[in-house]
Amino acid sequence: MTTPSSTQAPPTAAATAPNDTWQIGHTELSSRFLLGTAGYPSPEVLRAAIEASGSQVLTLGLKRTLGTTGQDNGFVQIIRDTARVQGAHLLPNTAGCRSAREAITLAHMARELLGTHWLKLEVVGDEQTLQPDPFELLEAARQLVKDGFEVLPYCTDDLVSAQRLVDAGCRILMPWAAPIGSGLGLLNPWALRTLRARLPDITLIVDAGLGAPSQAAAAMELGFDAVLLNSAVSQSRDPVGMARAFRDAVQGGRQGWRAGLMPTSDVAIATTPVGGQPFVLL
C-alpha cells in the first residue's frame, strides 16, 4: 500500500517530459490554471484577466445565469465570445445545486446550450461551508458518467469519497483546499498529499479556498495537476494583475515539482562540506 511521505516523491516520466501537457477527455492542454468567471467588476476587466491568466479552461456557473427556460441572460454569450477569442474551453458547473436530480437536470441544459460534455459537478450539502454533499454528489456523478459527460466533481479532500467517485467513472477530481471563497489556502496539506499518493493515475485539480499565488504554488508543489480558482482573482484590487500573478505561481510550482524538491529534515544539515572543498572531487 502506498503511503504519503514528508519527502518529495520523484516526478513521473510524464511529468519530466519536455512537452508537459495534460488532458481533459481527449483535449490536450498546456495551461494548468483554470479560471472562474464570476464576480468581476466589469466584462472588460474579466476579458483582460482571462487574457493575463493564459487559462485554457473557463468555468461558468449556469444556475445563476440561466432562467427556468434555459435562456441566456447575456452573461453566457459574453463568456462564450471571450473564450472564442482566447481559444479557451468552457467548463460549465452546477454551482448552487442542492440535490443530484437538480444537478443532473442543469448538466443536460448546459450540454444543450454550450455544446460541451465537460461538467464541473457541484452539489452543496452545507449552507455555511458550502461543503459538497458526498452522497448526492456520488449519485449525480454515476448518472452523468452514464449519460456521456466528462464529470469533474468538486469534492472534499476525503480519500474514501474520492475513491468512490473514481469507481463511478470520474477520471478527474477537484478536491477543495478550503471552503469556497474563504481564501484560507491549503488547510490540510496531509490530506491532499494522501490523495496524490493514493490516486497516482487520476488527474487532481485543487479547487476552492485559495487566496494567494503562493498557495497555488504550494498546491502544485504537492504534485497536483492544475489549480482552479475564481474569487482570489475577481475580488482582488487588481484582477488583471492577480491573474498574471497566479499564472506565474502555478507555472513556478509545477516547475519546482518537476525539478524535484529537496528532502525535508528535522535537523540542520551543513551545506558546506567539513573538508573545506566547495565541491565533491572524485
Side-chain angles (χ1 to χ4, degrees):
M1 181 178 65
T2 304
T3 57
S5 171
S6 60
T7 59
Q8 178 66 33
T12 62
T16 56
N19 185 24
D20 184 31
T21 60
W22 64 294
Q23 290 182 313
I24 297 180
H26 298 294
T27 300
E28 190 172 85
L29 303 165
S30 56
S31 171
R32 294 174 181 271
F33 179 21
L34 291 71
L35 186 64
T37 56
Y40 289 81
S42 71
E44 291 73 24
V45 172
L46 171 59
R47 292 187 184 101
I50 291 171
E51 181 178 3
S53 73
S55 178
Q56 295 174 293
V57 180
L58 307 176
T59 63
L60 175 62
L62 292 179
K63 188 174 176 64
R64 300 186 179 92
T65 56
L66 295 181
T68 56
T69 60
Q71 298 299 311
D72 179 9
N73 66 5
F75 179 75
V76 174
Q77 191 58 47
I78 291 173
I79 302 304
R80 295 183 74 170
D81 292 343
T82 304
R84 188 178 301 111
V85 170
Q86 299 297 329
H89 303 270
L90 294 182
L91 176 62
N93 70 53
T94 60
C97 289
R98 300 299 191 269
S99 69
R101 177 178 297 182
E102 186 181 13
I104 292 168
T105 299
L106 187 59
H108 283 272
M109 291 174 61
R111 185 159 64 180
E112 285 292 321
L113 176 66
L114 301 176
T116 179
H117 66 290
W118 291 6
L119 182 75
K120 177 186 172 184
L121 178 62
E122 296 185 37
V123 185
V124 172
D126 180 76
E127 295 302 321
Q128 183 172 350
T129 64
L130 299 181
Q131 179 172 329
D133 183 322
F135 306 103
E136 295 291 318
L137 183 68
L138 180 58
E139 179 182 341
R142 282 174 175 155
Q143 184 58 52
L144 290 169
V145 168
K146 291 178 182 178
D147 293 344
F149 286 85
E150 186 72 48
V151 180
L152 287 69
Y154 166 60
C155 56
T156 67
D157 53 18
D158 179 72
L159 174 61
V160 175
S161 295
Q163 289 173 323
R164 296 296 177 268
L165 289 166
V166 172
D167 293 342
C170 298
R171 298 180 290 183
I172 301 175
L173 301 182
M174 307 180 81
W176 69 356
I180 291 175
S182 67
L184 292 172
L186 309 183
L187 290 182
N188 194 344
W190 180 88
L192 295 175
R193 283 198 301 269
T194 299
L195 288 179
R196 181 69 288 170
R198 296 292 299 277
L199 301 172
D201 299 323
I202 298 298
T203 297
L204 296 177
I205 302 172
V206 169
D207 177 17
L210 299 181
S214 58
Q215 297 164 357
M220 297 302 293
E221 288 168 359
L222 291 176
F224 275 68
D225 297 283
V227 162
L228 189 157
L229 55 89
N230 188 158
S231 300
V233 171
S234 67
Q235 302 305 306
S236 67
R237 186 177 68 252
D238 176 8
V240 178
M242 190 62 74
R244 189 176 297 112
F246 269 101
R247 177 200 65 193
D248 294 344
V250 170
Q251 291 175 348
R254 176 66 179 179
Q255 290 168 2
W257 180 77
R258 292 180 66 193
L261 303 182
M262 65 173 288
T264 59
S265 173
D266 292 331
V267 299
I269 301 175
T271 303
T272 304
V274 177
Q277 294 290 340
F279 302 101
V280 177
L281 302 178
L282 300 179

